[in-house]
Amino acid sequence: MAAGDSHDPVHLFVERMALTFAEVGFPRMAARVLFTVMSADDPLTAAEIGERLGVSAAAVSGAVRYLTQFGMLIREPVPRSRRDRYRMPDNPWYEATITKTGLYKTFIDVAEGGVAALNGPDTPAGERVAEMRDFFVFVQEEIDSLGERWRVRRAATGHVRPGEA
């Protein structure tokens, strides 16, 4: 069966996961690209990704830019070529979820400024913003703890590659 064949189990996996991610707000083409690369044994060029998905390499361009920005794909140059290959990083879910949490710090800092601008947490608006800030402080602390627990579990289940710890 061809890679883009709608009866191919790998193609069905890619499309189902992409649809599932899209249903929670993830860009659909980015999800299709992500799971195409994830389901490949070796890194793929944009043209190869496009071929597997039945779309042009240009259609893949924005998706790979989005995914590399969030650490979900790594771009590597093809030797003696102007093309790049894309692959999943080691432990991408951890990388994208746990280590990219600067967003929460930003939310916390901006909310802190909002509390001050609203004359502290003693007004109804100030209380709402303070609660938002406190929630993001809590989320950040929980993510830090979750990351440590994941590292322990990952090692216990044998997903750590030689040289990782």
Side-chain angles (χ1 to χ4, degrees), residues 10 17 21-22 28-29 34 84-85 96 105 131 154-155:
V10 174
M17 284 302 296
F21 268 50
R28 179 125 186 232
M29 182 56 76
L34 176 64
D84 295 313
R85 285 187 294 230
K105 174 75 169 113
E131 184 174 6
R154 185 170 184 247

Side-chain angles (χ1 to χ4, degrees), residues 96-115:
T97 306
I98 306 296
T99 65
K100 306 291 186 210
T101 59
L103 180 63
Y104 296 114
K105 174 75 169 113
T106 301
F107 287 162
I108 293 164
D109 291 346
V110 173
E112 187 63 41
V115 171

Side-chain angles (χ1 to χ4, degrees), residues 5-152:
D5 184 335
S6 63
H7 298 291
D8 174 34
V10 174
H11 177 77
L12 289 173
F13 161 74
V14 167
E15 295 300 333
R16 285 179 180 152
M17 284 302 296
L19 182 59
T20 301
F21 268 50
E23 287 174 352
V24 295
F26 202 87
R28 179 125 186 232
M29 182 56 76
R32 293 179 76 206
V33 167
L34 176 64
F35 292 106
T36 296
V37 174
M38 176 183 269
S39 65
D41 290 333
D42 297 308
L44 300 172
T45 65
E48 291 167 333
I49 295 167
E51 183 180 319
R52 288 179 184 218
L53 292 174
V55 300
S56 70
V60 172
S61 177
V64 296
R65 190 169 33 257
Y66 178 86
L67 293 165
T68 55
Q69 175 183 349
F70 287 101
M72 296 299 293
L73 287 184
I74 294 175
R75 182 175 63 192
E76 302 173 326
V78 174
R80 297 172 300 285
S81 171
R82 293 177 48 196
R83 293 181 300 158
D84 295 313
R85 285 187 294 230
Y86 299 93
R87 68 174 179 82
M88 301 280 299
D90 293 335
N91 204 5
W93 306 110
Y94 172 84
E95 290 299 320
T97 306
I98 306 296
T99 65
K100 306 291 186 210
T101 59
L103 180 63
Y104 296 114
K105 174 75 169 113
T106 301
F107 287 162
I108 293 164
D109 291 346
V110 173
E112 187 63 41
V115 171
L118 294 165
N119 298 316
D122 296 328
T123 64
E127 167 59 25
R128 285 191 298 271
V129 175
E131 184 174 6
M132 179 183 72
R133 175 207 56 212
D134 295 347
F135 173 76
F136 286 118
V137 167
F138 170 78
V139 168
Q140 181 65 63
E141 291 167 355
E142 289 298 306
I143 285 177
D144 293 344
S145 173
L146 183 65
E148 182 55 37
R149 292 192 326 263
W150 170 246
R151 285 187 291 277
V152 169

